[in-house]
């Protein structure tokens, strides 16, 4: 109570008139026990109408810690985070107007409202956003909740824990590594094959070769042939699963075989089975499922489920530059238990590709970093 009264004096000045006090016990966020608050209603004697001071929570767990719901950031912190906080504040107001967060606010400590808003802004589904905020609340020490940078670090850590990373393609000079890219139509498989091939050849000195089994689309083979010519790589075409072994042999002395496949709708089980036959013949060491970050959470999940039949166990996320929010990707990664091997960030071959990095992906998802 002494601390609460000191806070009232600080907020409203020495002439403050105490109108009432009471002890309140509140459920903590998501049922994490209770916390005790002291609510002081006070009026500034200078004002005409009585003004209610904010409820002043005193955390019993650490009675030395004192948090005011109406606290003001110290100068240095304000300079650093002030602008960002105003932006988040505006965002919270918007979301509140849309009725998207009101149901949560009574339970949500005010310090965590900005990160909840940030997650919704990044298109993270509400159920996952709530889970992450709960995790943040659990990660924070009592005295950290009032420090915006500690809250943000805890959020990043919670997001990072949803992401698992696969190592880049494990090619070894002199040995032959066979790698296939599969995925829905138009996600960027052919472009990514070209980026990988160019980087392995130009930057790392490997001898890659390309195989295409994309014989459905007119010009699909041509698209890869043009890349093969520009990068000076051997290219072989397999029109049927039975031609796969011959196609790989045709490439000659290469240490990385990159197989480009036709885009398959995840709903087309016949074509997915056919793809499985091609891959069974190729015996790839790695199968990467290429997914566009622009796609919604449901289609991402169904692609992962359907392409599990061809043993696609790593993900390449494309078009990060085009996605407005990566919350759907985060939801997928949190559930699908598939590591991410590469990220692609534009149409340019060979530049717009990078090995996946957990910290970078978390920052991109949270909007703390943009695609360069
Ligand atoms: N913005 C952006 N566009 C990309 C990226 N990767 C590929 N694209 C573009 O996406 C379009 C389709 O790329 P493709 O490589 O042909 O896609 P695909 O998966 O091989 O398509 P299908 O073989 O028809 O299934 C092209 O216009 C590419 O330039 C990326 O990371 N960012
Ligand atoms: Mg293609």
């Amino acid at each position: 109570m002494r601390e609460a009264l000191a806070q009232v004096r600080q907020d409203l000045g020495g002439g403050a008139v105490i109108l009432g006090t009471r002890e309140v016990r509140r459920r903590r966020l998501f049922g994490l026990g209770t916390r005790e608050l002291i609510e002081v209603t006070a009026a500034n004697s200078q004002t005409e109408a009585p003004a209610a001071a904010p409820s002043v929570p005193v955390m019993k767990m650490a009675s030395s810690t004192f948090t005011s719901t109406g606290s003001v950031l110290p100068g240095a912190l304000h300079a650093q985070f002030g602008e960002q906080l105003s932006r988040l504040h505006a965002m919270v107001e918007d979301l509140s107007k849309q009725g998207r967060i009101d149901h949560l606010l009574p339970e949500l400590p005010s310090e965590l409202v900005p990160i909840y808003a940030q997650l919704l802004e990044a298109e993270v589904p509400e159920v996952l956003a709530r889970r992450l905020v709960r995790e943040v609340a659990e990660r924070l020490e009592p005295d950290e909740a009032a420090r915006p940078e500690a809250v943000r670090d805890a959020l990043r850590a919670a997001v990072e824990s949803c992401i698992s990373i696969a190592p880049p393609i494990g090619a070894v000079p002199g040995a032959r590594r066979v790698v296939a890219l599969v995925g829905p139509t138009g996600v960027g498989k052919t472009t990514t094959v070209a980026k990988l091939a160019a980087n392995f050849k130009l930057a790392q000195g490997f001898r890659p070769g390309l195989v295409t089994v994309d014989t459905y689309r007119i010009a699909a083979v041509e698209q890869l042939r043009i890349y093969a010519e520009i990068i000076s790589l051997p290219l072989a075409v397999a029109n049927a699963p039975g031609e796969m072994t011959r196609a790989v042999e045709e490439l000659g002395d290469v240490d990385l075989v990159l197989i480009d496949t036709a885009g398959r709708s995840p709903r087309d089980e016949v074509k997915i089975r056919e793809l499985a036959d091609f891959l069974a013949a190729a015996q790839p060491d790695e199968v990467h499922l290429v997914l566009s970050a622009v796609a919604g959470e449901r289609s991402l999940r169904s692609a992962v489920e359907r392409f599990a039949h061809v043993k696609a166990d790593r993900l390449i996320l494309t078009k990060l530059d085009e996605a407005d929010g990566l919350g759907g990707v985060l939801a997928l990664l949190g559930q699908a238990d598939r590591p991410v091997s590469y990220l692609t960030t534009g149409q340019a071959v060979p530049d717009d590709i990078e090995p996946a990095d957990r910290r970078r992906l978390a920052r991109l998802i949270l909007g703390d970093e943009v695609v360069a």
Side-chain angles (χ1 to χ4, degrees):
M1 180 60 83
R2 203 170 52 239
E3 283 174 304
L5 293 177
Q7 182 74 24
V8 168
R9 252 198 314 282
Q10 188 184 319
D11 285 353
L12 298 179
V17 180
I18 307 298
L19 299 175
T21 64
R22 68 183 180 121
E23 287 185 14
V24 215
R25 194 181 282 267
R26 280 227 183 116
R27 265 195 320 121
R28 302 194 72 209
L29 180 64
F30 302 116
L32 292 175
T34 57
R35 65 175 176 172
E36 287 186 1
L37 311 174
I38 297 191
E39 187 180 275
V40 179
T41 310
N44 182 342
S45 56
Q46 250 84 95
T47 56
E48 283 170 17
S55 299
V56 183
V58 178
M59 293 184 191
K60 207 153 186 208
M61 306 180 307
S63 53
S64 59
T65 318
F66 188 81
T67 317
S68 159
T69 50
S71 69
V72 174
L73 286 174
L77 271 183
H78 192 272
Q80 197 179 349
F81 294 109
E83 194 186 324
Q84 196 166 14
L85 281 178
S86 325
R87 202 162 49 81
L88 287 170
H89 183 73
M91 219 188 277
V92 171
E93 282 199 341
D94 274 358
L95 291 165
S96 181
K97 275 186 211 139
Q98 294 165 21
R100 290 177 69 186
I101 53 174
D102 282 353
H103 62 285
L104 186 74
L105 282 175
E107 286 194 342
L108 187 65
S110 57
E111 299 89 344
L112 301 186
V113 171
I115 59 163
Y116 186 65
Q118 185 179 3
L119 289 168
L120 295 190
E121 182 69 12
E123 301 288 331
V124 175
E126 281 187 38
V127 176
L128 175 58
R130 292 170 72 108
R131 206 195 83 203
L132 288 167
V133 173
R134 187 170 56 218
E135 245 182 84
V136 168
E138 282 163 6
R139 278 169 195 265
L140 287 172
E141 298 295 326
D143 61 335
E144 286 179 329
R147 287 179 27 229
E149 75 275 30
V151 174
R152 280 151 31 114
D153 286 350
L155 177 62
R156 273 191 208 130
V159 169
E160 282 180 24
S161 72
C162 297
I163 301 171
S164 75
I165 297 292
I169 288 171
V172 179
R176 181 185 284 178
R177 189 90 176 160
V178 179
V179 177
L181 268 59
V182 300
T185 55
V187 290
K189 297 176 294 298
T190 306
T191 313
T192 306
V193 162
K195 289 173 181 173
L196 288 168
N199 277 289
F200 270 93
K201 175 162 177 169
L202 306 174
Q204 301 181 43
F206 280 86
R207 280 166 297 132
L210 308 179
V211 172
T212 176
V213 297
D214 190 345
T215 53
Y216 281 95
R217 249 181 342 106
I218 300 173
V221 177
E222 271 325 289
Q223 185 189 1
L224 198 61
R225 197 184 300 284
I226 291 167
Y227 281 125
E229 274 167 20
I230 296 171
I231 312 165
S232 280
L233 297 175
L235 169 74
V237 181
N239 292 300
E243 295 181 16
M244 198 47 138
T245 317
R246 189 239 346 120
V248 172
E249 290 312 317
E250 212 178 287
L251 296 176
D253 189 18
V254 296
D255 40 26
L256 175 60
V257 177
L258 289 164
I259 303 177
D260 184 24
T261 60
R264 299 292 205 264
S265 157
R267 295 186 188 174
D268 193 336
E269 287 186 15
V270 174
K271 286 200 180 142
I272 299 245
R273 263 203 304 278
E274 192 189 61
L275 177 62
D277 291 342
F278 269 106
L279 294 186
Q283 295 280 309
D285 299 296
E286 301 176 16
V287 180
H288 298 243
L289 172 59
V290 183
L291 292 176
S292 162
V294 179
E297 184 201 344
R298 274 178 63 187
S299 35
L300 291 171
R301 234 195 342 246
S302 103
V304 168
E305 277 165 23
R306 300 302 170 93
F307 283 93
H309 298 304
V310 301
K311 301 194 175 57
D313 52 6
R314 314 160 188 225
L315 304 179
I316 295 179
L317 298 174
T318 59
K319 308 196 184 185
L320 268 79
D321 55 310
E322 269 187 31
D324 272 333
L326 296 171
V329 167
L330 179 64
L332 173 81
L333 298 181
Q335 285 186 356
D337 193 25
R338 293 284 193 287
V340 184
S341 53
Y342 291 92
L343 307 176
T344 83
T345 54
Q347 293 181 290
V349 178
D351 288 340
D352 293 339
I353 187 165
E354 57 195 57
D357 176 86
R358 183 178 285 113
R359 194 176 154 78
R360 162 127 162 110
L361 187 50
R363 293 178 69 97
L364 288 171
I365 288 170
L366 287 170
D368 290 344
E369 193 170 308
V370 288
V371 169

